[in-house]
Amino acid sequence: MYLSVVAPIYNEVDNLEILHNELTAVLPPLGDYEIIFVDDGSNDGSVEKLAELAAADAHVKVVFFRRNFGQSAAMYAGIQHASGDLVITLDGDLQNDPADIPMMCAKLEEGFDLVHGWRKNRQDTWINRRLPSMIANWLISRTTGFAIHDLGCTLKAMRREIAQELELYGEMHRFIPILAHQRGAKCVEVVTKHRPRIHGKTKYGISRTLRVVLDLLTVKFLLDYFASPMKLFGNFGLCCGGAAALSGVATIAMRIFAGVDMTGNPLLLLTVFFALAALQFVSLGLLGEVNARIYFSGNEQKTYTVRRLLNFSDAPKIRRAA
Ligand code: UDP
Ligand code: MG
């Protein structure tokens, strides 16, 4: 078995060596492996530290971003550059415990495609991290119909084919199990250890919750209507069209049978409003359909640019869109 471990790194200089040591203690018995660090534009010396680790250990491969593109982009880049049969993602801040990796790989061998961690005993502050996260997880579970306790846990193990099909941008790395599940992956949740952050600072605060909620809207849309947006907007359009027809008929009927002056009748305004809204929704639906066609006809846009690669023998494989 060949394992690819992917860790996004943004200003984690004091964690890198410890993480590398912990991984090197756990991985060899599992098979051959590569450790892919993705430097997300660090400016605290992580860049030099990563280069040092890569020079000393050929298992270590590093992708350096030109600037900070965010955790989703970092994970996406790491996953796209992975060549293992299994891809394991974990945080670079030592909060995930590499000792959980063998257990997760064993789960994959049982036949699952994706194993995601549940930080049951999460070591973060309660009020601005754990509580918003609990609410967000509950909300996401309810809206997507995917039962899950902890979407925010980066520690995951998955088959490479599944991992490389994921499109991660925005805060999409939090929705990996849902996105994979939608593509037919068999997912399972396992309880994983979680440790307090000792070195470095967290990159997120309360403001992230809001972004996650917005991304939730996107995910919900992607799950249900991505391939045919007309099903959503067309329905809105039809409803508005129906309402326009009703109030139009009512305006005329009131003119004929009750002698109500049409221009003085507010229903006329309502008719115009609904007719315009119907037009807008149908046009949106059509535009959406055109976009879906363009998307599915294949593009290779990426959400990041890479400054340089370390220890990669071939040019990276670039996935063609489905
Ligand atoms: N991270 C990153 N780019 C960013 C923010 C974070 O690569 O813009 C990395 C960070 O270095 C860490 C992981 O993502 O390895 C999780 O970040 P953090 O520990 O700050 O998040 P938390 O555990 O507090 O949710
Ligand atoms: Mg962390």
Side-chain angles (χ1 to χ4, degrees):
M1 209 161 51
Y2 188 51
L3 302 181
S4 299
V5 176
V6 172
I9 304 295
Y10 182 44
N11 294 343
E12 307 284 3
V13 64
D14 296 321
N15 293 315
L16 293 174
E17 186 142 8
I18 310 175
L19 179 63
H20 177 247
N21 288 341
E22 287 189 356
L23 285 170
T24 314
V26 168
L27 294 174
L30 299 174
D32 201 4
Y33 66 94
E34 62 181 355
I35 303 174
I36 303 181
F37 290 118
V38 184
D39 165 61
D40 188 10
S42 304
N43 51 19
D44 69 337
S46 296
V47 172
E48 293 73 25
K49 188 78 212 172
L50 287 171
E52 204 178 287
L53 289 175
D57 178 359
H59 291 110
V60 174
K61 302 176 178 183
V62 192
V63 178
F64 293 99
F65 277 4
R66 285 186 201 280
R67 64 163 174 87
N68 180 249
F69 283 97
Q71 193 182 344
S72 276
M75 290 176 65
Y76 184 64
I79 288 171
Q80 293 307 317
H81 284 94
S83 40
D85 307 304
L86 306 181
V87 174
I88 293 131
T89 57
L90 84 172
D91 277 345
D93 61 356
L94 299 172
Q95 289 199 270
N96 298 134
D97 188 349
D100 283 322
I101 294 176
M103 173 266 292
M104 297 179 94
C105 291
K107 269 279 178 216
L108 288 179
E109 270 169 12
E110 279 176 29
F112 290 101
D113 297 312
L114 185 147
V115 186
H116 49 102
W118 171 15
R119 297 165 295 178
K120 201 168 181 179
N121 200 352
R122 187 166 168 190
Q123 305 293 320
D124 279 319
T125 51
W126 176 256
I127 190 70
N128 66 344
R129 306 303 309 278
R130 298 187 58 180
L131 186 66
S133 152
M134 272 168 64
I135 298 173
N137 280 307
W138 178 82
L139 202 70
I140 294 167
S141 254
R142 288 301 301 267
T143 11
T144 59
F146 184 80
I148 191 159
H149 289 99
D150 183 12
L151 273 171
C153 181
T154 310
L155 183 56
K156 297 187 180 74
M158 53 205 129
R159 295 183 194 287
R160 180 166 55 94
E161 317 83 81
I162 302 278
Q164 291 187 333
E165 276 177 16
L166 302 169
E167 310 241 349
L168 307 179
Y169 50 86
E171 300 282 318
M172 288 297 163
H173 66 276
R174 316 198 152 269
F175 297 97
I176 287 178
I178 294 177
L179 297 172
H181 175 74
Q182 188 220 6
R183 303 197 68 102
K186 264 175 73 186
C187 303
V188 64
E189 186 173 68
V190 294
V191 174
T192 54
K193 280 188 244 66
H194 195 246
R195 308 181 286 193
R197 199 189 239 280
I198 294 170
H199 306 288
K201 283 202 292 276
T202 176
K203 312 297 179 299
Y204 301 110
I206 191 93
S207 65
R208 173 174 65 182
T209 318
L210 212 66
R211 278 182 283 153
V212 171
V213 170
L214 291 178
D215 274 340
L216 171 61
L217 285 178
T218 315
V219 167
K220 180 71 186 160
F221 174 76
L222 293 183
L223 289 184
D224 295 352
Y225 302 107
F226 186 50
S228 54
M230 196 58 174
K231 290 215 178 78
L232 178 67
F233 296 114
N235 275 334
F236 285 151
L238 284 182
C239 291
C240 289
L246 271 182
S247 79
V249 168
T251 317
I252 294 169
M254 283 163 82
R255 173 74 192 83
I256 297 173
F257 301 113
V260 180
D261 178 29
M262 267 174 75
T263 46
N265 189 342
L267 282 182
L268 185 66
L269 275 179
L270 208 64
T271 311
V272 174
F273 170 77
F274 275 127
L276 286 177
L279 200 70
Q280 290 286 333
F281 277 126
V282 171
S283 322
L284 260 185
L286 287 174
L287 282 180
E289 293 286 327
V290 172
N291 274 325
R293 293 291 176 286
I294 295 172
Y295 174 84
F296 284 117
S297 69
N299 69 56
E300 286 173 359
Q301 288 296 324
K302 289 208 212 81
T303 51
Y304 59 89
T305 58
V306 172
R307 187 186 297 277
R308 65 183 161 127
L309 301 170
L310 273 188
N311 281 3
F312 284 94
S313 43
D314 321 312
K317 267 202 307 268
I318 293 175
R319 180 183 54 92
R320 292 204 73 87

